[in-house]
């Protein structure tokens, strides 16, 4: 379960201080599927980075389970990202020089598994997202939808409890978007994940149990 | 994962890998060749010096010649042969008197000193071996003059008239039958050697061709060993006799240089005590040859000897190398100055290119490293990856550099450029034995001049040291580039890295 308390994040720019998040307080129970919407520059991605232990708040706290993320050292945050949190990005962020299987394996590298274990788990994850036949393909040899499936396999191969997706369908056509969303929903249901999706797409947001809107750094619930 | 990722990165970024590896390879090959040539030149210098000072000599002790002081009769205090003949000297036949004398001297520009210096050197714990020699020059003066009686009978009849004058007036006597004279001057170098046979000294760089070497029983005997070239040009052989300093010496052996030199350091070798007696230089030596117990002791031995013998000139092989001139010396200077600077510049450029390409590579891969950090890679893992890639690029450059360097060295060894070298001696023994261009010998000395100049084919040794330098440079280059790249990668904040490309 996530607990956000009075969470504030400001950035210093040449034009002055920009407040990305302004005293956001929020609770997200374990296993919930949440969609976060809002205008560009409203603080959605910043909130996702706080939830993903990628960024520290200027003030306030972020708690994941028993771990208070805002006060942890970098090494411990990296460990939490390695074991507990999975990321899916809008641009897929696959490593172009590695094959699909090797890209998935990168998520297992910090866990200290044997090469054999890494390979077998990566293969299983890719089969689960329907890419069992594309293990040795490089990203450039895959379609956008297939690349996002590889990214989802990479996020889930370590069996995290939280999956954070930043515009996961932003670069895809409608048909592929629906396929990806069905895949994510299926995994969310099967694995009991806490799934938090940042999206501009109302069709995607409507699939979520809970919808939040982030505007000018403040969160509102959307009924 | 580390190995797979590294392999994929390097094989997919071939252009960058090739540029970095080529730069490193060029620098490493150049450093190898410059170091190799330097070692080859050093070996060549050692060869030249060994022909003069013998193999294994670390330090020589000599005494610099004193400034000439005008004597009572306008001559210097240094030994110069003077031949004096009495009225009854020589054998007279048909109005012509044949006269002959030989003198054994230390010669001009040569200085002897007390043999106690040898005892001092041998007394040092860090000295493995020491021996002394006495470098001398034998000058023989022989000729024919008109007999004094013949000159008197045919001349003015005045007592004390010189033969030439008598002959000129009377037209009889002398080698030409008209009262003239004819003289021959023969000179050769003689080195007194300790027959005990220490492991240092001039005879360590020669090998026996005929006869036998010195034995302990030869002490104070009139026996001589000849340089083969000198024996050939003088038509001398083992068991013949040779007059040295007015005494008859039996030739017991002939020797030749073990190096590429045509001649050895001296024309003849006789027992040291015999040399001292015949030259009337009892208890005197001209050079002490010292071998240190270890190469690391050379400096301390030199210092100790200089302290114990303040008036002596104590020189190491390194000091003596400066006395080698000719194209070998030019090559040495070229390698020492231009070669070293060129190596440093190319190496610095290669390192700089490697660092710049690695750091720009990290900048280009910001999104990649941000993603890896987002999925749980810690800073250490990212830095290891970047540094590992740089290290392997450096190693590839190192391997290519070693191959190119070895090919370069092989090419030079096949071409074997010939360098001429002259050991321009600054010490007494070298002044006699290895020649100083005739400046110190009033009669000119073809044998010593020949011994001084040597043509040496440059051969570059391939040692583990040279290859080791290449390996160290390759690792250093990779580490430096990796350190910069890794430092830059470690500074990336994952959120910023992702945001910068989002």
């Amino acid at each position: 379960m996530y607990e956000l308390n009075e969470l504030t994040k400001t950035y210093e720019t040449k034009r002055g201080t920009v407040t990305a998040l302004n005293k956001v307080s929020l609770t997200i129970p374990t296993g919930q599927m949440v969609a976060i919407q809002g205008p560009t520059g409203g603080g959605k991605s910043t909130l996702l980075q706080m939830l993903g232990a990628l960024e520290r708040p200027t003030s306030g706290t972020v708690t994941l389970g028993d771990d208070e993320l805002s006060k942890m050292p970098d090494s411990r945050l990296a460990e939490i990202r390695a074991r507990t949190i999975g990321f899916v990005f809008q641009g897929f962020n696959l490593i172009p020089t590695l094959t699909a299987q090797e890209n998935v394996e990168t998520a297992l590298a910090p866990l200290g598994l044997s090469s054999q274990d890494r390979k077998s788990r990566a293969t299983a994850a890719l089969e689960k997202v329907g890419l069992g036949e594309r293990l040795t393909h490089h990203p450039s040899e895959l379609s956008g939808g297939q690349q996002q499936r590889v990214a989802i396999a990479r996020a889930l191969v370590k069996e995290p409890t939280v999956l954070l997706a930043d515009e996961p369908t932003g670069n895809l056509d409608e048909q592929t978007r629906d396929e990806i969303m069905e895949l994510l929903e299926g995994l969310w249901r099967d694995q009991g994940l806490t799934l938090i999706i940042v999206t501009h797409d109302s069709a995607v947001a409507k699939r979520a149990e809970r919808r939040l809107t982030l505007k000018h750094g403040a969160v509102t619930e959307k009924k | 994962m580390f190995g797979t990722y590294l392999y994929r990165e390097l094989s997919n970024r071939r252009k960058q890998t090739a540029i970095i590896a080529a730069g490193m390879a060029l620098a490493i090959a150049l450093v190898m060749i410059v170091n190799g040539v330097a070692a080859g030149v050093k070996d060549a210098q050692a060869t030249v010096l060994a022909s003069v000072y013998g193999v294994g000599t670390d330090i020589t002790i000599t005494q610099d010649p004193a400034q000439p002081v005008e004597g009572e009769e306008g001559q210097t205090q240094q030994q110069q042969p003077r031949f004096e003949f009495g009225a009854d000297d020589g054998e007279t036949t048909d109005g012509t008197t044949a006269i002959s004398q030989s003198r054994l001297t230390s010669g001009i520009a040569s200085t002897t000193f007390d043999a106690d210096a040898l005892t001092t050197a041998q007394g040092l714990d860090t000295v493995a071996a020491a021996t002394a020699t006495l470098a001398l020059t034998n000058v023989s003066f022989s000729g024919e003059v008109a007999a004094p009686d013949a000159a008197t009978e045919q001349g003015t009849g005045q007592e004390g008239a010189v033969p030439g004058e008598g002959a000129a007036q009377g037209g009889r006597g002398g080698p030409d039958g008209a009262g003239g004279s004819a003289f021959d001057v023969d000179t050769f170098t003689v080195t007194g050697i300790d027959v005990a046979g220490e492991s240092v000294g001039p005879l360590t760089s020669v090998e026996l061709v005929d006869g036998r070497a010195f034995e302990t029983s030869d002490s104070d005997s009139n026996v001589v060993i000849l340089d083969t070239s000198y024996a050939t040009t003088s038509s001398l052989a083992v068991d013949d006799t040779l007059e040295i300093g007015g005494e008859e010496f039996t030739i017991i052996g002939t020797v030749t240089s073990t190096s590429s030199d045509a001649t050895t350091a001296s024309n003849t070798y006789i027992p040291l005590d015999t040399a001292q007696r015949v030259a009337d230089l009892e208890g005197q030596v001209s050079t002490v040859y010292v071998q240190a117990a270890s190469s690391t002791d050379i400096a301390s031995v030199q210092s100790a000897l200089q302290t114990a013998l303040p008036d002596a000139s104590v020189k190491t092989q390194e000091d003596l190398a400066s006395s080698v001139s000719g194209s070998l010396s030019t090559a040495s200077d070229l390698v020492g100055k231009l070669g070293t600077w060129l190596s440093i510049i190319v190496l610095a450029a290669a390192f700089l290119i490697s660092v710049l390409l690695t750091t720009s590579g990290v900048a280009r891969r910001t999104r990649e490293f941000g993603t890896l950090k987002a999925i749980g890679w810690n800073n250490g893992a990212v830095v290891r990856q970047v540094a590992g890639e740089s290290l392997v690029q450096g190693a590839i450059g190192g391997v290519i550099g070693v191959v190119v360097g070895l090919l370069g060295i092989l090419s030079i060894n096949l071409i074997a450029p010939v360098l001429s070298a002259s050991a321009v001696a600054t010490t007494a023994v070298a002044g006699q034995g290895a020649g100083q261009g005739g400046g110190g010998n009033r009669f000119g000395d073809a044998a010593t001049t020949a011994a001084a100049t040597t043509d040496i084919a440059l051969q570059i040794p391939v040692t583990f040291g040279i290859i080791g330098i290449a390996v160290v440079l390759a690792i250093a280059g990779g580490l430096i580039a990796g350190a910069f790249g890794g430092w830059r990668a470690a500074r990336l904040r994952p959120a910023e890295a992702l945001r910068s490309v989002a």
Side-chain angles (χ1 to χ4, degrees):
Chain A
M1 184 173 74
Y2 273 112
E3 289 262 2
L4 281 64
N5 185 32
E6 297 283 307
L7 190 67
T8 299
K9 179 66 181 177
T10 58
Y11 295 104
E12 295 300 325
T13 67
K14 289 177 183 174
R15 293 181 183 177
T17 303
V18 174
T19 302
L21 296 174
N22 188 16
K23 296 185 177 177
V24 173
S25 293
L26 189 65
T27 300
I28 301 173
T30 301
Q32 193 170 56
M33 181 177 173
V34 181
I36 303 173
Q37 289 182 282
T40 301
K44 303 187 299 296
S45 293
T46 302
L47 178 60
L48 205 67
Q49 286 166 355
M50 296 286 171
L51 296 171
L54 294 173
E55 191 77 282
R56 293 175 193 279
T58 307
S59 63
T61 59
V62 183
T63 306
L64 173 60
D66 296 329
D67 297 319
E68 222 254 76
L69 304 181
S70 46
K71 291 181 180 171
M72 282 186 174
D74 285 347
S75 57
R76 177 77 181 117
L77 291 179
E79 200 177 321
I80 287 175
R81 291 197 298 268
R83 295 183 183 280
T84 312
I85 302 170
F87 278 98
V88 176
F89 305 96
Q90 179 180 358
F92 323 133
N93 289 19
L94 299 178
I95 295 170
T97 55
L98 299 181
T99 64
Q101 187 184 42
E102 289 161 353
N103 262 291
V104 176
E105 279 188 63
T106 58
L108 298 174
L111 303 183
L113 302 176
S114 69
S115 172
Q116 195 59 42
D117 281 353
R118 283 203 313 268
K119 282 190 195 314
S120 59
R121 285 179 64 170
T123 303
L126 284 167
E127 283 170 350
K128 194 177 278 185
V129 298
L131 290 176
E133 304 297 316
R134 305 282 179 141
L135 300 179
T136 57
H137 287 225
H138 284 83
S140 59
E141 299 167 324
L142 300 171
S143 68
Q146 288 171 326
Q147 288 186 53
Q148 194 61 298
R149 284 169 188 265
V150 174
I152 291 167
R154 180 179 64 186
L156 297 177
V157 70
K158 59 194 174 189
E159 297 173 358
T161 56
V162 176
L163 181 60
L164 304 176
D166 190 358
E167 299 279 8
T169 59
N171 286 357
L172 304 175
D173 58 46
E174 284 187 14
Q175 186 186 339
T176 312
R177 176 197 68 189
D178 292 341
E179 286 172 11
I180 292 294
M181 283 312 300
E182 279 168 22
L183 175 65
L184 285 174
E185 280 178 316
L187 292 168
W188 165 62
R189 284 197 193 91
D190 294 346
Q191 298 184 15
L193 291 166
T194 301
L195 176 58
I196 302 172
I197 300 172
V198 166
T199 182
H200 278 108
D201 191 337
S202 294
V204 171
K206 281 176 187 168
R207 290 171 176 264
E209 287 182 298
R210 184 181 175 192
R211 296 167 68 183
L212 303 174
T213 301
L214 199 55
K215 196 171 181 181
H216 302 308
V219 171
T220 53
E221 293 274 354
K222 198 167 184 179
K223 302 294 180 185
Chain B
M1 192 71 243
F2 172 82
T4 306
Y5 190 12
L6 189 151
Y7 171 74
R8 297 271 190 225
E9 280 302 317
L10 296 188
S11 56
N12 281 282
R13 299 183 201 277
R14 286 191 193 124
K15 196 173 175 184
Q16 178 179 322
T17 303
I19 291 171
I20 292 175
M24 293 293 289
L26 178 67
I28 286 165
L30 193 64
V31 168
M32 275 182 72
I33 291 171
V34 168
N35 274 278
V37 170
V41 167
K42 200 171 179 182
D43 285 354
Q45 285 176 327
T47 304
V48 174
L49 291 171
S51 69
V52 178
Y53 300 99
V55 176
T57 300
D58 296 318
I59 293 169
T60 58
I61 304 170
T62 58
Q63 191 139 331
D64 293 331
Q67 287 292 321
V69 177
E70 292 298 315
E72 289 179 0
E73 296 178 0
Q75 293 193 343
T76 68
Q77 289 182 336
Q78 291 171 312
Q79 286 199 17
Q80 295 184 34
R82 177 181 172 80
F83 300 93
E84 294 176 347
F85 297 95
D88 299 328
D89 287 347
E91 292 181 5
T92 303
T93 308
D94 297 332
T96 300
T97 301
I99 54 172
S100 176
Q101 275 188 15
S102 71
R103 290 272 185 275
L104 186 61
T105 70
S106 60
I108 194 167
S110 177
T111 305
T112 61
F113 55 97
D114 201 307
D116 285 348
L118 174 63
T119 313
T120 303
Q122 288 171 328
L124 293 175
D125 292 338
T126 46
V127 168
T131 191
T133 62
L134 179 58
L136 303 166
T137 301
N138 187 85
V139 182
S140 298
F141 183 89
S142 60
E144 293 174 329
V145 296
D149 291 346
T152 305
E153 287 167 7
Q154 299 301 325
T156 61
Q158 291 178 323
E159 285 189 21
V162 294
E165 289 171 348
Q169 291 176 19
R172 294 184 58 186
D176 59 353
S181 306
F183 304 102
D184 289 321
V185 176
D186 180 41
T187 180
F188 57 86
T189 53
V190 179
T191 300
I193 298 285
D194 183 1
V195 294
E198 278 282 13
S199 58
V200 289
L203 285 189
T204 54
S205 59
V206 303
E207 61 186 2
L208 196 65
V209 174
D210 194 16
R212 67 174 178 83
F214 286 125
E215 295 167 354
T216 313
S217 59
D218 289 327
S219 179
D220 204 23
S221 301
N222 284 16
V223 290
V224 61
I225 292 174
L226 303 187
D227 172 81
T228 304
S229 295
Y230 179 71
T232 304
T233 54
S234 304
S235 301
L236 294 168
V238 172
D239 294 334
D240 288 351
T241 59
L242 175 67
E243 187 178 318
I244 302 174
E247 296 188 16
E248 290 292 318
F249 280 70
T250 303
I251 300 169
I252 60 168
T254 58
V255 293
T256 188
S257 173
T258 52
S259 69
S260 57
D261 296 346
T263 58
T264 63
S266 178
N267 299 137
T268 65
Y269 301 91
I270 62 176
L272 177 61
D273 44 9
T274 306
Q276 290 169 330
R277 174 176 52 77
V278 176
D280 200 19
L281 290 167
E282 297 287 349
Q284 294 288 298
V285 294
S286 54
T287 304
V288 174
Y289 297 79
V290 179
Q291 187 177 55
S294 157
S295 60
T296 55
D297 294 331
I298 293 174
S300 63
V301 171
Q302 182 188 26
S303 175
L305 287 171
Q306 194 64 76
T307 304
L309 305 164
D311 296 332
S313 175
V314 181
K315 293 185 185 300
T316 63
Q317 285 280 353
E318 201 170 316
D319 300 329
L320 296 171
S322 64
S323 70
V324 176
S325 62
S327 60
L328 177 59
S329 175
T330 308
S332 177
D333 287 347
L334 202 64
V335 170
K337 292 172 185 166
L338 181 64
T340 303
W341 279 110
L342 192 63
S343 297
I344 290 170
I345 290 167
V346 173
L347 202 59
F351 281 13
L352 190 64
I353 289 169
S354 181
V355 168
L356 289 176
L357 287 180
T358 303
T359 49
S360 70
V362 170
R364 195 174 58 245
R365 293 163 69 189
T366 298
R367 170 183 185 162
E368 192 172 310
F369 293 133
T371 304
L372 289 173
K373 288 187 176 187
I375 64 175
W377 283 44
N378 58 29
N379 270 340
V382 174
V383 169
R384 258 196 308 281
Q385 194 66 43
V386 174
E389 289 171 15
S390 293
L391 208 56
V392 172
Q393 283 170 335
I396 292 170
V399 170
I400 297 170
V402 167
V403 172
V404 173
L406 288 175
L407 285 174
I409 289 171
L410 183 67
S411 302
I412 293 171
N413 284 347
L414 285 174
I415 295 167
V418 176
L419 302 172
S420 67
S422 300
V424 180
T426 55
T427 59
V429 64
Q432 290 292 323
Q436 50 189 16
N441 191 323
R442 66 192 302 183
F443 298 104
D445 185 0
T448 55
T449 303
T453 303
T454 306
D455 285 341
I456 296 177
L458 182 65
Q459 287 294 302
I460 302 178
V462 177
T463 62
F464 283 115
I466 288 176
I467 295 173
I469 287 171
V471 172
V472 168
L473 287 176
I475 293 171
L479 281 177
I480 290 169
F484 276 98
W487 172 73
R488 182 150 186 178
R491 287 180 62 210
L492 289 175
R493 304 288 305 171
E496 285 173 25
L498 291 169
R499 193 162 43 233
S500 67
V501 293

